[in-house]
Amino acid sequence: MEFDTEVATRNFYQKYAKASGFGTRLSKGHKDKTSDMVLDRVFCCSREGKRPKDKGNMIVKCPRPETRCDCGVRMKITYRQAGKYRVVQLVAQHNHELSTPSKTHIFRSHRHMTMAHEAEIDMARSCEIALKQSIELMSKQVGGQENLGFIRDDLKNYLRSKRSIPMMQGDTGGVLEYLRMMQLEDPNFYYAIQVDEDDLITNIFGVDAKMRTDFAHFGDMVCFDTIYRKHKDERPITLFVGVNHHKQTIVFRTALLYDEIIGTFE
């Protein structure tokens, strides 16, 4: 078979893989040094190869399941012969069981969010529709979640990146400047900032001298309160609160969180 572009070849192999019940990955390829055009490309099964040994910590609390089994399924194309991308090698026999059609959409290579999906998600978010109801509605519109093109995790990642955009350098610098000013005014003021893999601020924790003193006297009972929330950014403002000897509510700690998942609370 021959194709005009590499994209057309990749789309064809993606459709073939989805209909067959396996995921795909881009393997090795060669480009022209002057035009940066792809001359050779190999498309392979997502279970090709073997996982390399981890040279870091050998004790892992939640190890990821092994998915690669050295599957040899591949399709190689080249542009060097006929001025088009021609299939010069095809290995179609897998060494593992294939997925059923109802589960093929879960493979990472078959998941993609279009601009129409993003616009619909933004509209649902502006109407304050919950994430679960949003994905259920979009799934019914296309006849099932297997026809949607993405899963719930992709939707959560999109919303996470969407919320990270307003956190520009001016906002980040203002937060850090405020925390440093508080520490200069109160040497016992302590703060901690947690960032994600992109070095964006996610969680902020702070406590001053009065909070520490109150906790030393009245810290027998602590309530973790997450009901306060900023309406615009939807970031939970959490409080560690207690009661003093006058039955008055006092604050032991404060934290501005990014989301409400287990890792954030820990």
Side-chain angles (χ1 to χ4, degrees):
M1 298 182 66
E2 293 182 348
F3 301 89
D4 294 330
T5 62
E6 186 207 1
V7 177
T9 311
R10 184 165 65 247
N11 292 338
F12 168 79
Y13 196 66
Q14 285 284 85
K15 292 180 181 179
Y16 163 72
K18 188 173 183 180
S20 302
F22 67 95
T24 65
R25 286 193 298 109
L26 287 178
S27 186
K28 58 185 178 181
H30 300 90
K31 290 185 178 181
D32 185 80
K33 295 182 179 180
T34 58
S35 61
D36 202 34
M37 180 181 179
V38 176
L39 300 177
D40 302 291
R41 173 66 72 187
V42 175
F43 306 95
C44 63
C45 176
S46 59
R47 303 188 68 176
E48 180 266 345
K50 293 184 179 180
R51 177 187 293 178
K53 293 183 179 181
D54 188 6
K55 298 181 181 179
N57 189 5
M58 301 301 297
I59 303 176
V60 182
K61 293 182 179 180
C62 300
R64 293 184 178 182
E66 179 62 66
T67 58
R68 299 193 182 187
C69 59
D70 203 14
C71 179
V73 169
R74 55 180 356 196
M75 184 180 78
K76 182 179 180 180
I77 59 173
T78 182
Y79 192 80
R80 303 175 188 268
Q81 298 179 0
K84 288 187 176 182
Y85 288 98
R86 174 179 292 180
V87 178
V88 295
Q89 183 187 21
L90 178 65
V91 180
Q93 187 65 35
H94 296 265
N95 64 352
H96 57 88
E97 294 184 2
L98 300 179
S99 174
T100 59
S102 61
K103 297 180 181 179
T104 310
H105 66 281
I106 302 178
F107 285 105
R108 185 182 298 274
S109 58
H110 301 318
R111 286 153 37 194
H112 175 67
M113 292 184 64
T114 63
M115 295 181 62
H117 290 149
E118 295 176 357
E120 193 169 355
I121 293 170
D122 294 338
M123 186 180 300
R125 182 175 176 232
S126 64
C127 297
E128 298 185 358
I129 300 177
L131 184 146
K132 183 179 180 181
Q133 282 73 25
S134 298
I135 197 168
E136 287 180 355
L137 176 61
M138 297 175 67
S139 299
K140 289 182 180 180
Q141 290 175 345
V142 295
Q145 192 169 352
E146 63 275 9
N147 302 322
L148 189 58
F150 60 92
I151 60 177
R152 185 174 180 179
D153 289 344
D154 299 324
L155 177 57
K156 293 172 65 176
N157 292 335
Y158 170 73
L159 293 177
R160 179 184 177 90
S161 62
K162 192 80 173 181
R163 287 194 292 261
S164 300
I165 294 177
M167 198 60 159
M168 299 180 181
Q169 187 172 1
D171 298 331
T172 305
V175 171
L176 295 176
E177 185 65 26
Y178 174 78
L179 295 175
R180 293 193 186 101
M181 181 184 66
M182 292 289 294
Q183 199 169 44
L184 289 175
E185 296 178 355
D186 182 4
N188 291 321
F189 178 79
Y190 170 81
Y191 70 91
I193 296 178
Q194 187 178 16
V195 298
D196 58 10
E197 60 274 9
D198 298 323
D199 290 333
L200 295 175
I201 293 178
T202 55
N203 305 314
I204 304 174
F205 176 87
V207 55
D208 58 18
K210 184 178 183 304
M211 293 178 181
R212 294 189 177 202
T213 303
D214 290 339
F215 181 76
H217 291 291
F218 312 111
D220 298 334
M221 186 277 294
V222 179
C223 176
F224 182 61
D225 192 356
T226 61
I227 64 173
Y228 300 98
R229 183 189 297 270
K230 294 176 66 176
H231 176 70
K232 180 181 178 181
D233 298 329
E234 296 184 355
R235 292 199 175 193
I237 300 177
T238 62
L239 302 176
F240 295 84
V241 298
V243 179
N244 61 14
H245 55 292
H246 294 296
K247 297 183 180 180
Q248 296 173 335
T249 302
I250 52 178
V251 179
F252 295 139
R253 306 285 192 275
T254 60
L256 178 63
L257 305 182
Y258 183 83
D259 47 26
E260 296 179 274
I261 61 176
I262 296 177
T264 300
F265 286 141
E266 289 178 346

